[in-house]
């Protein structure tokens, strides 16, 4: 399988975390051609650079906070942790921004659905992945409609997190 | 006891926790996150789980002992406990919480009281077993040995 003449399967060089911006259509990089392609694209997409992904964990449960923080850490993703939807909104009001937000659904003060709606109203375009143990279709639909980019059932594992990242077009060292 | 014997005992003991359904594969996820930069990760998270759960179970007991039970208070506690037990792989605690939540939805006080007892039982069981597991690990490390990797062939 290949796309644009480049093999569809690839490995990110060890120790490098990429954020790949879409350019015209999705471009998948082959390891050995990567530097050449990135040099070419850098002229047209100057912001394309090796950069560390950032994430925000939004969860009211201490055990989940610790797990999700560590999972992200393990994949080289710098991350902050907040305890509920209101804190997630507040941290954005203070000027912080993240590539990815892992948003729990059931939280006190401001739940995940309300927080997601609020963030989108504020113009926050970060990718938001809803994570919850409550996974009946109605709840999932309501959560997605609030403005999620992806949804995953808890408990999170390394492979579930990787599939979120893959679906949201983030590429990380594994 | 010889080191090899201790390591075998640990493996057998760990295996029994999975076979009895006390732990599920999520616990293996936890173990996978432990590395040289964080060698006590599993015990740190499990300790956090114990502290969190002790507090929640206490709050639940208080809430259910009220003359008029406020299920709006009870349900979030059970949800919390279900979430954290699920995150560390404490399968039987999680399953007991699932049943508990359905009685909360029905606002069945008697049912909730029974469920609380069940949850407590499962919680003390997993707590006891994990504390034993950590003791076995400590004995191995104290004897200069390595903790054997968990084999998944069961």
């Amino acid at each position: 399988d290949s796309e644009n003449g480049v093999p569809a399967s690839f490995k990110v060089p060890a120790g490098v975390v990429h954020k790949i911006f879409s350019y015209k259509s999705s471009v998948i990089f082959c390891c050995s051609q990567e530097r050449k392609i990135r040099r070419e694209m850098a002229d047209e997409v100057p912001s394309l650079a090796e950069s560390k992904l950032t994430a925000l964990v939004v969860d009211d449960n201490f055990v989940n906070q610790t797990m999700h923080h560590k999972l992200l850490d393990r994949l080289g993703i710098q991350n902050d942790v907040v305890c509920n939807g209101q804190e997630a909104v507040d941290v954005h009001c203070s000027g912080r921004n993240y590539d990815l937000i892992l948003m729990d659904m059931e939280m006190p003060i401001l739940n995940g659905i309300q927080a997601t709606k609020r963030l989108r109203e504020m113009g926050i375009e970060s990718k938001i992945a809803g994570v919850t143990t409550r996974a009946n279709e109605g709840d999932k639909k309501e959560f997605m409609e609030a403005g999620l980019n992806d949804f995953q059932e808890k408990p999170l594992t390394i492979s579930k997190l990787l599939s979120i990242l893959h679906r949201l077009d983030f590429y990380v060292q594994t | 006891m010889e080191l090899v014997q201790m390591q075998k005992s640990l493996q057998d003991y760990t295996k029994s926790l999975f076979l009895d359904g006390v732990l599920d594969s999520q616990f293996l996820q936890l173990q996978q996150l432990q590395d040289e930069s964080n060698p006590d990760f599993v015990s740190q998270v499990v300790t956090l789980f114990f502290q969190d759960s002790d507090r929640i179970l206490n709050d639940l007991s208080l809430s259910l002992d009220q003359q008029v039970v406020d299920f709006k208070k009870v349900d979030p506690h059970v949800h919390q406990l279900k979430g954290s037990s699920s995150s560390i792989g404490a399968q039987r605690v999680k399953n007991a919480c699932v049943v508990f939540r359905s009685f909360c939805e029905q606002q069945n006080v008697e049912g909730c009281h029974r469920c609380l007892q069940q949850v407590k039982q499962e919680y003390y069981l997993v707590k006891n077993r994990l504390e034993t597991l950590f003791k076995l690990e400590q004995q191995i490390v104290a004897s200069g040995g390595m903790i054997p990797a968990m084999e998944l062939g069961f």
Side-chain angles (χ1 to χ4, degrees), chain A residues 138-166:
Chain A
D139 289 331
K140 186 177 169 181
K141 187 165 179 282
E142 197 187 348
F143 205 179
M144 287 298 295
E145 284 172 0
L148 296 182
N149 299 98
D150 197 22
F151 180 94
Q152 188 60 266
E153 267 185 55
K154 275 199 270 192
L156 277 189
T157 60
I158 291 176
S159 66
K160 281 185 187 179
L161 184 53
L162 282 172
S163 61
I164 290 174
L165 293 167
H166 178 71

Side-chain angles (χ1 to χ4, degrees), chain B residues 50-68:
Chain B
F50 291 159
Q51 289 167 351
D52 216 31
S53 303
D54 287 338
R55 178 185 57 82
I56 290 172
L57 288 171
N58 194 47
D59 289 344
L60 275 171
S61 299
L62 286 171
S63 298
L64 285 178
D65 277 343
Q66 299 303 305
Q67 279 237 305
V68 179

Side-chain angles (χ1 to χ4, degrees), chain A:
Chain A
D1 276 346
S2 72
E3 197 176 326
N4 300 325
V6 172
S9 63
F10 70 102
K11 270 190 187 164
V12 178
V16 172
V17 173
H18 292 279
K19 185 158 62 175
I20 300 181
F21 296 86
S22 61
Y23 170 66
K24 292 182 181 172
S25 58
S26 303
V27 179
I28 302 174
F29 295 94
C30 166
C31 208
S32 60
Q33 298 179 6
E34 191 228 41
R35 276 204 197 95
K36 178 172 178 288
I37 292 168
R38 286 204 294 125
R39 256 202 313 274
E40 285 167 353
M41 287 189 52
D43 295 330
E44 297 172 73
V45 188
S47 51
L48 180 65
E50 288 174 38
S51 61
K52 275 221 178 253
L53 289 177
T54 60
L56 179 67
V57 173
V58 189
D59 201 307
D60 62 330
N61 184 295
F62 298 138
V63 175
N64 290 338
Q65 284 175 3
T66 310
M67 279 290 285
H68 296 175
H69 173 75
K70 186 66 181 174
L71 278 169
L72 289 161
D73 238 18
R74 176 54 70 87
L75 295 179
I77 299 173
Q78 291 169 355
N79 65 96
D80 293 336
V81 178
V82 293
C83 298
N84 57 61
Q86 187 58 57
E87 289 185 10
V89 169
D90 292 344
V91 84
H92 282 88
C93 287
S94 74
R96 300 295 303 261
N97 225 301
Y98 303 90
D99 298 303
L100 170 68
I101 301 171
L102 292 182
M103 183 77 81
D104 184 24
M105 195 168 87
E106 285 188 55
M107 294 178 288
I109 305 173
L110 201 68
N111 68 32
I113 293 172
Q114 295 161 335
T116 303
K117 280 187 186 159
R118 191 80 67 83
L119 289 172
R120 292 306 188 207
E121 282 162 14
M122 285 163 61
I124 302 297
E125 292 180 346
S126 312
K127 304 285 192 185
I128 307 180
V131 286
T132 181
T133 49
R134 229 198 236 286
N136 74 58
E137 281 309 307
D139 289 331
K140 186 177 169 181
K141 187 165 179 282
E142 197 187 348
F143 205 179
M144 287 298 295
E145 284 172 0
L148 296 182
N149 299 98
D150 197 22
F151 180 94
Q152 188 60 266
E153 267 185 55
K154 275 199 270 192
L156 277 189
T157 60
I158 291 176
S159 66
K160 281 185 187 179
L161 184 53
L162 282 172
S163 61
I164 290 174
L165 293 167
H166 178 71
R167 283 197 296 269
L168 297 180
D169 292 331
F170 293 130
Y171 294 86
V172 295
Q173 172 192 352
T174 56

Side-chain angles (χ1 to χ4, degrees), chain A residues 60 64 67 70 74 158, chain B residues 29-30 32 35 38 80 87:
Chain A
D60 62 330
N64 290 338
M67 279 290 285
K70 186 66 181 174
R74 176 54 70 87
I158 291 176
Chain B
Q29 281 292 311
L30 209 65
Q32 278 182 32
D35 55 25
N38 223 163
Q80 279 282 320
S87 272

Side-chain angles (χ1 to χ4, degrees), chain B residues 23-107:
Chain B
L23 295 177
D24 64 27
S25 59
Q26 186 64 18
F27 189 76
L28 297 173
Q29 281 292 311
L30 209 65
Q31 289 180 318
Q32 278 182 32
L33 290 174
Q34 185 159 290
D35 55 25
E36 300 84 40
S37 68
N38 223 163
D40 298 319
F41 181 69
V42 177
S43 66
Q44 279 170 6
V45 176
V46 170
T47 304
L48 196 55
F49 168 68
F50 291 159
Q51 289 167 351
D52 216 31
S53 303
D54 287 338
R55 178 185 57 82
I56 290 172
L57 288 171
N58 194 47
D59 289 344
L60 275 171
S61 299
L62 286 171
S63 298
L64 285 178
D65 277 343
Q66 299 303 305
Q67 279 237 305
V68 179
V69 173
D70 184 355
F71 286 98
K72 284 204 181 74
K73 278 204 176 113
V74 175
D75 187 69
H77 285 319
V78 183
H79 173 73
Q80 279 282 320
L81 187 55
K82 180 186 152 205
S84 48
S85 57
S86 168
S87 272
I88 68 146
Q91 186 176 232
R92 279 158 58 161
V93 177
K94 180 199 74 178
N95 291 342
C97 288
V98 170
V99 179
F100 198 156
R101 283 200 100 182
S102 66
F103 281 107
C104 285
E105 264 172 61
Q106 296 164 31
Q107 307 218 347

Side-chain angles (χ1 to χ4, degrees), chain B residues 2-4 6-7 10 136-148:
Chain B
E2 270 198 36
L3 188 58
V4 172
M6 281 198 276
Q7 287 168 328
L10 174 65
L136 288 171
E137 287 184 347
Q138 278 159 15
Q139 281 168 4
I140 289 170
V141 169
S143 304
M146 299 265 291
I147 311 294

